Amino acid sequence: MKSLVPALLLAAAMATPAAAEEVGSVSTVFKALGPNDKIVIEAFDDPQVIGVTCYLSRAKTGGIKGGIGIAEDTADAAIACRQVGPIQFVEQIKDGDTVFKKDTSLLFKTMQVVRFLDRKRNVLVYLVYSDRIIEGSPKNSVSAVPIQKNWIP
């Protein structure tokens, strides 16, 4: 039983979307009270594809509401994913897997990155979009990472 615990923990970690590290930010709107509105750049590694890192830029609302964490961020985002080392698949990947997810409001709005595998062109495709229970947004951005044919699972 003890030998199963590490394997179960590893499987649970692989099933959860990646966490992002903030790389930097720039202010876009001055706020007299609370933090400024800004664009934040975050990086995260694909948890199921070793050797791929994605850089996400997104709007972050400031002011008093933003300072205490109850502001709703806009759906504006861009993504650039790159091969940063040898590509290795941790396990079989499925199209539409969520690799990153971040709450962008107090309730019901998230920004997500999902991955697809274009087998015909040997490319990993990453899509960032925002959704909400009632009304999502058509704003999105896409990035592609070419891989060698013999690396596709």
Side-chain angles (χ1 to χ4, degrees), residues 57-80:
S57 67
R58 62 182 186 86
K60 186 164 176 71
T61 304
I64 294 172
K65 287 183 178 182
I68 60 174
I70 61 171
E72 183 172 316
D73 296 335
T74 67
D76 301 308
I79 190 166

Side-chain angles (χ1 to χ4, degrees), residues 9-133:
L9 290 174
L10 178 61
M14 290 187 309
T16 59
E21 307 166 25
E22 187 172 320
V23 174
S25 66
V26 294
S27 292
T28 57
V29 176
F30 173 76
K31 299 287 186 176
L33 298 174
N36 293 341
D37 289 356
K38 57 186 174 179
I39 298 171
V40 177
I41 303 167
E42 297 171 316
F44 64 89
D45 299 322
D46 186 324
Q48 292 182 334
V49 183
I50 296 169
V52 174
T53 298
C54 293
Y55 296 89
L56 179 68
S57 67
R58 62 182 186 86
K60 186 164 176 71
T61 304
I64 294 172
K65 287 183 178 182
I68 60 174
I70 61 171
E72 183 172 316
D73 296 335
T74 67
D76 301 308
I79 190 166
C81 298
R82 299 292 182 263
Q83 180 177 348
V84 295
I87 291 180
Q88 297 177 346
F89 293 88
V90 174
E91 62 181 28
Q92 187 75 22
I93 61 173
K94 296 180 292 191
D95 282 343
D97 277 346
T98 300
V99 296
F100 177 80
K101 190 172 192 173
K102 181 140 191 131
D103 291 333
T104 53
S105 75
L106 189 58
L107 297 171
F108 310 124
K109 185 175 179 185
T110 61
M111 182 166 293
Q112 300 183 59
V113 176
V114 293
R115 178 196 341 93
F116 296 89
L117 178 58
D118 180 349
R119 291 181 186 279
K120 180 179 178 182
R121 294 166 190 85
N122 303 318
V123 172
L124 290 165
V125 181
Y126 293 85
L127 168 71
V128 61
Y129 68 99
S130 181
D131 66 354
R132 189 186 317 180
I133 289 179

